Amino acid sequence: MKSRLFILYILCFLPILVGQKKVPNIKLKKLNGKSVMLYNYLKEGPVLINFWATWCSPCKKEMVYLDQFEKEYKDKGLSILAVSTDSQKSLSQVRSYIRSKKYTFEVFQDPNSQTFKKLNGNIMPTNILINKDGKILWRHYGYLPGDEIDMEKEIRSALNIDS
């Protein structure tokens, strides 16, 4: 009897526990003001969402690697979405910074940090790697030199590329 109750308990609550690791189909706002749904990108393959800000020095150091990963893995299905949490007043600084560095990944704005909060962002930068099904595969807070090595391993794993 106890084993049946345990199995019933697992069957009832497992979907809830598993479902918590799936991201909602959030609306992302591009720098040009147009909106797009996250799941549009997931159709192509895994997505790495990077939350950053122009005032965040570690964010800027990490972006060099994000751009490298974008160039190397885009043809394999990876999308890198950089979401700026800068205020609406700082939007011109965001555009200027991205343009000056000639980054190729897509950049979005989240001036009130609503998306950041929905995805349980904690500190800058926050990275979230999501598979095609919307499941969170990997989450990382902050940046220290060398973190890009682990990030690339996670990206390659999400793309099913042997190391």
Side-chain angles (χ1 to χ4, degrees):
M1 180 67 174
K2 286 182 183 180
S3 63
R4 283 186 181 165
L5 285 174
F6 180 72
I7 291 171
L8 183 61
Y9 177 79
I10 293 294
L11 290 175
C12 288
F13 290 102
L14 187 61
I16 294 169
L17 295 174
V18 172
Q20 289 178 340
K21 294 209 61 156
K22 194 168 181 175
V23 296
N25 189 14
I26 54 177
K27 187 183 289 188
L28 299 167
K29 189 173 179 183
K30 294 184 173 191
L31 291 181
N32 64 10
K34 294 183 180 178
S35 294
V36 66
M37 299 305 289
L38 171 61
Y39 279 36
N40 290 352
Y41 291 96
L42 291 174
K43 292 176 189 173
E44 304 297 317
V47 170
L48 177 72
I49 299 178
N50 169 263
F51 289 99
W52 69 286
T54 55
W55 50 262
C56 172
S57 179
C59 298
K60 291 178 177 181
K61 290 176 184 173
E62 182 180 62
M63 289 180 115
V64 173
Y65 299 103
L66 296 176
D67 194 53
Q68 288 174 9
F69 299 150
E70 167 80 8
K71 290 173 182 169
E72 186 168 345
Y73 299 111
K74 183 176 184 154
D75 291 341
K76 293 173 177 57
L78 178 71
S79 297
I80 293 184
L81 312 179
V83 181
S84 169
T85 60
D86 286 277
S87 71
Q88 195 67 35
K89 292 178 188 175
S90 303
L91 191 55
S92 63
Q93 290 177 335
V94 173
R95 285 189 184 112
S96 174
Y97 179 74
I98 295 298
R99 200 174 306 123
S100 72
K101 298 297 182 179
K102 298 180 176 150
Y103 289 139
T104 57
F105 46 77
E106 292 209 49
V107 182
F108 300 86
Q109 55 182 320
D110 185 25
N112 298 320
S113 297
Q114 293 302 313
T115 304
F116 185 62
K117 291 172 189 170
K118 281 182 188 174
L119 295 180
N120 297 318
N122 194 335
I123 61 171
M124 294 292 169
T126 290
N127 290 289
I128 304 167
L129 183 61
I130 307 163
N131 73 6
K132 286 179 82 166
D133 297 325
K135 181 182 173 200
I136 296 174
L137 301 173
W138 179 77
R139 182 185 299 266
H140 186 75
Y141 299 107
Y143 173 76
L144 293 172
D147 285 350
E148 68 278 359
I149 295 167
D150 290 333
M151 182 184 295
E152 186 169 19
K153 285 179 188 173
E154 295 294 337
I155 289 169
R156 291 178 63 86
S157 175
L159 292 168
N160 295 314
I161 299 173
D162 296 327
S163 297

